[in-house]
Amino acid sequence: MNQPHLSQAIGRMEASPTTAMTDRATALREEGRDIISLSVGEPDFLTPPHVIEAAKAALDAGDTRYTPVTGTARLKRAAALHFERDLGIAADPASVIVTAGGKQAIFEALVATVSEGDEVIVPAPWWVSYPQMVRFCGGRVVPLVTHPHHGFRFAPGDLEALITPRTNWLMLNSPGNPTGAVYPEDMLQGIAGVLRRHPQVLVLSDDIYAPLNYTGRPHATLAALAPDLADRICTVSGVSKSHAMTGLRIGVATGPSWLVAAMGKLQSNSSGNPASISQAAAVAAFEGPQDFLADWRERFRARRDSVVAAVNAIPGLSCPIPDGAFYVFVDAAPLMQRFKDDGALALHLLEHGVAVVAASAFGGRDGFRISFAADDAVLAEAMQRIARALA
Ligand SMILES: Cc1ncc(COP(=O)(O)O)c(C=O)c1O
């Protein structure tokens, strides 16, 4: 319905389809239906106890006041340590901003830089919020289509073919949501070569899934591999996915000082500081033990392998093995004559007790995304339900 009070900016944006599917699954459950939700992007593991303790200690210490808008000095130091130790990026705490989740960092970076008509290259399938944020800013989304037979990765030449004088960002997400694509060092070097020829292009490197890399190779990221480009790269990370802290809403970003300052200006006039208790918890996450991450990674890898095997055993479904994150991007093209579109397919699966998200929500087609961040027995039951629903 046409609502005259809404701004043009909000009119260009749609609500997140992943959140919509999760809400729908929750509503059905509340009605008493037995629904397994594989639509949500959050680890099912418990938040590590040292993180919980740090949050409680902060509460007991009365740490309930405003903090500096862009984060406490302590957390900025801890985040700089994380960027250096885990991503290989030499980050000065002064060039770190703490946000309410990685999502806010990405939104602020785009709002601070994208003007009407600017072009933002977004590899597709994409994380649902990238195109919505670009449209909100008045920017034009330029899809860089990737394919399963190339591991959903683009080649440097594909990128260069889309760059114009109006291009101002490339969104780069490795390991990626929804495909699990991981860009190895040599591909990032190739991308860096293209970027050196186009100084107008900034890069949003979304490394939020960095610890969830099943390749056995260390995480590779552009700002570490191409320090000469660091003044054009905004690297976003956080604790939501790595430390099972989605509800605590802490993200961190580092980039050129002009950009971090602009993001801070926006934050100072909108959300203000991220929650003080959550910041104290995030310090513990970055400074505390990291050894549990290897165990979580192995458990996710085992789940990935069983879900991939189950998908490929169902007639009409197929998927490549994702190298990272906790999603499997399933192709269901051979089944599409049975359904109006992949939204109808996702609703059919929901009717059979499993919530997944249609591929079209991610700029893909004829398939769906499964999150395998769920217990083994739950995943096995979900895969049986999907098989029965499509039999
Ligand atoms: C690719 C990607 N980037 C960023 C985020 C945002 O994470 P956060 O919960 O820290 O805002 C998500 C969460 O789903 C994501 O999948």
Side-chain angles (χ1 to χ4, degrees):
M1 192 177 56
N2 189 20
Q3 170 46 265
H5 296 288
L6 291 176
S7 69
Q8 286 182 3
I10 203 70
R12 290 190 294 259
M13 190 183 233
E14 284 166 19
S16 159
T18 42
T19 311
M21 187 48 123
T22 306
D23 291 350
R24 201 164 181 157
T26 308
L28 285 175
R29 270 197 197 131
E30 279 165 6
E31 285 171 18
R33 296 274 304 275
D34 171 20
I35 305 288
I36 298 176
S37 179
L38 303 184
S39 58
V40 67
E42 67 181 348
D44 56 314
F45 300 136
L46 293 177
T47 309
H50 63 278
V51 172
I52 302 285
E53 285 312 317
K56 286 183 185 163
L59 263 177
D60 289 342
D63 198 355
T64 54
R65 310 282 171 175
Y66 288 134
T67 76
V69 162
T70 56
T72 62
R74 178 102 197 266
L75 180 50
K76 287 187 185 181
R77 281 197 303 276
L81 165 84
H82 157 70
F83 279 118
E84 174 99 52
R85 179 192 61 204
D86 305 325
L87 306 182
I89 299 172
D92 178 349
S95 67
V96 168
I97 179 165
V98 181
T99 52
K103 200 176 238 179
Q104 188 182 22
I106 300 166
F107 187 66
E108 287 178 351
L110 293 176
V111 170
T113 53
V114 175
S115 303
E116 198 78 31
D118 282 350
E119 295 172 7
V120 178
I121 297 178
V122 191
W126 47 51
W127 179 45
V128 289
S129 290
Y130 296 148
Q132 302 300 341
M133 292 175 180
V134 171
R135 287 190 199 115
F136 178 87
C137 298
R140 200 163 78 77
V141 176
V142 179
L144 202 182
V145 179
T146 65
H147 302 282
H149 49 277
H150 292 139
F152 290 110
R153 286 180 292 255
F154 64 85
D158 305 336
L159 168 65
E160 190 146 34
L162 295 179
I163 295 178
T164 75
R166 288 307 302 265
T167 308
N168 74 340
W169 283 99
L170 164 68
M171 309 300 286
L172 199 57
N173 177 211
S174 171
N177 175 6
T179 64
V182 170
Y183 283 79
E185 201 172 312
D186 58 334
M187 291 189 91
L188 291 175
Q189 290 292 10
I191 293 168
V194 171
L195 293 165
R196 287 190 184 103
R197 291 192 283 278
H198 301 279
Q200 77 279 26
V201 184
L202 303 167
V203 183
L204 194 307
S205 182
D206 181 347
D207 291 32
I208 199 117
Y209 293 99
L212 298 174
N213 175 337
Y214 314 115
T215 61
R217 293 186 301 267
H219 176 69
T221 190
L222 204 60
L225 292 174
D228 59 310
L229 299 177
D231 63 349
R232 290 200 262 146
I233 302 171
C234 177
T235 306
V236 174
S237 186
V239 286
S240 302
K241 316 288 178 172
S242 58
H243 289 68
M245 291 170 64
T246 42
L248 293 177
R249 311 305 307 133
I250 293 293
V252 291
T254 186
S257 52
W258 63 266
L259 178 63
V260 171
M263 292 162 72
K265 184 157 83 170
L266 193 55
Q267 194 156 300
S268 72
N269 289 301
S270 50
S271 62
N273 67 266
S276 54
I277 305 301
S278 299
Q279 291 193 64
V283 168
F286 287 138
E287 290 183 351
Q290 307 291 317
D291 45 345
F292 69 94
L293 293 176
D295 173 49
W296 285 13
R297 184 164 46 239
E298 279 319 300
R299 288 162 71 187
F300 276 131
R301 186 212 299 269
R303 292 168 175 186
R304 172 199 70 170
D305 292 345
S306 50
V307 170
V308 167
V311 165
N312 287 312
I314 298 174
L317 299 187
S318 62
C319 67
I321 301 175
D323 279 336
F326 39 63
Y327 308 102
V328 171
F329 203 65
V330 180
D331 178 79
L335 300 178
M336 288 319 292
Q337 68 274 34
R338 275 170 62 188
F339 300 97
K340 182 166 67 65
D341 52 26
D342 61 8
L345 167 61
L347 284 178
H348 176 75
L349 296 179
L350 186 61
E351 277 307 307
H352 286 78
V354 185
V356 295
V357 184
S360 47
F362 306 96
R365 51 182 298 193
D366 299 347
F368 53 91
R369 185 195 76 174
I370 292 176
S371 163
F372 56 81
D375 175 85
D376 300 289
V378 170
L379 282 173
E381 167 64 19
M383 296 316 299
Q384 280 176 18
R385 289 184 189 184
I386 293 176
R388 278 199 299 274
L390 299 177

